[in-house]
Amino acid sequence: LTVVHVIEDFGAVAPNDECSDEEYYWLAQVEWLQPLDPESHQGMRLKELFSELTEDDVVFPEQREQFIRLCEDAVSTHEEWGPLLNTLIKAAKYLSELDGIVDANITNVMIRPSTGSVVWSDPIHDSMSSPTDEQEAKIVALREQVARLGATI
């Protein structure tokens, strides 16, 4: 898969400021990547491909099936981007029927300096994951600690 390598996944580390009962901040240490210049030859070709696949917008759940078909067709006509497209197809298929937005955008593609390969960085949004019991216990303890600190201020 052409995705960012995770060095360490810390999981859910704190409640979200806006939706503290339902969403969490997640933390991971990932490999160092370089941005892909959108004005480079490679960047311009990818922008053109993504524009064809998404009409320059994110892909909502109700559009996903058509988007996946377009990506599958593009794998055969854009062989150099096959690994990148196949990764995006797998990610899109992984999402539940009503969950997540696919953002096939040049700003979500980076370069792995060690190999020069292009990789996805954050092409899926609004997909909810639940913390493990251990992570939830740490978050509850953090909430209690913050409440105690707030009471002393």
Side-chain angles (χ1 to χ4, degrees), residues 1-2 46 49-50 53 67-68 70-92 104 118 120:
L1 295 176
T2 55
L46 268 175
L49 173 60
F50 295 156
L53 297 173
F67 170 74
I68 290 170
L70 290 171
C71 286
E72 289 170 340
D73 292 344
V75 168
S76 62
T77 59
H78 296 82
E79 291 180 19
E80 71 273 27
W81 306 122
L84 199 65
L85 290 168
N86 282 324
T87 298
L88 191 60
I89 291 165
K90 288 179 183 180
V118 291
W120 285 109

Side-chain angles (χ1 to χ4, degrees), residues 48-59 63 67 70:
E48 184 179 323
L49 173 60
F50 295 156
S51 180
E52 291 172 15
L53 297 173
T54 66
E55 297 180 2
D56 296 319
D57 201 358
V58 296
V59 178
Q63 301 164 313
F67 170 74
L70 290 171

